[in-house]
Amino acid sequence: MTTPSTPTRGYTASKDQLLARLRRVEGQVRGIEKMVDDDRYCIDVLTQISAIQAALDKVALGLLDGHARHCMREGAAEGRADEMAGEMMAAVGRLMKRG
């Protein structure tokens, strides 16, 4: 019996780094929860939220880079370049929408 292979994604080569970064963000979020529980100063909490947003933006940019370099190349080879570009631009649009 053959096992289906895991697909190669744009982030496959840096998956360990990506997971480590996400774990760090998760720890930062838990830290903010503790700050709120400890009634820390509002501006200090907001500063930490800003740091988390910056860290998530960095993760998102890395994913976009991998998508552009790997997934879109694959899609173009399959004749799906326009579809893949539209999909990526929609994702960028969602990332830019805040507040």
Side-chain angles (χ1 to χ4, degrees), residues 8-43:
T8 303
R9 304 289 182 202
Y11 58 82
T12 298
S14 61
K15 187 174 182 176
D16 291 338
Q17 291 173 329
L18 176 63
L19 289 170
R21 193 178 295 256
L22 288 170
R23 283 187 205 101
R24 206 170 314 128
V25 169
E26 182 182 16
Q28 287 176 293
V29 172
R30 280 194 305 272
I32 289 176
E33 184 180 9
K34 184 172 176 4
M35 289 175 78
V36 170
D37 192 43
D38 293 344
D39 295 316
R40 295 280 301 271
Y41 185 55
C42 301
I43 300 303

Side-chain angles (χ1 to χ4, degrees), residues 2-98:
T2 36
T3 325
S5 65
T6 304
T8 303
R9 304 289 182 202
Y11 58 82
T12 298
S14 61
K15 187 174 182 176
D16 291 338
Q17 291 173 329
L18 176 63
L19 289 170
R21 193 178 295 256
L22 288 170
R23 283 187 205 101
R24 206 170 314 128
V25 169
E26 182 182 16
Q28 287 176 293
V29 172
R30 280 194 305 272
I32 289 176
E33 184 180 9
K34 184 172 176 4
M35 289 175 78
V36 170
D37 192 43
D38 293 344
D39 295 316
R40 295 280 301 271
Y41 185 55
C42 301
I43 300 303
D44 293 341
V45 175
L46 290 169
T47 298
Q48 291 307 309
I49 289 171
S50 178
I52 290 170
Q53 287 174 329
L56 285 173
D57 285 347
K58 203 166 184 178
V59 168
L61 285 173
L63 287 169
L64 281 170
D65 182 66
H67 183 73
R69 293 174 190 276
H70 173 79
C71 301
M72 288 189 66
R73 186 180 310 152
E74 244 179 41
E78 297 168 359
R80 299 174 37 226
D82 288 342
E83 174 192 344
M84 299 292 285
E87 195 176 64
M88 186 173 86
M89 292 311 297
V92 170
R94 287 189 301 273
L95 283 169
M96 293 180 72
K97 242 185 238 180
R98 286 215 181 126

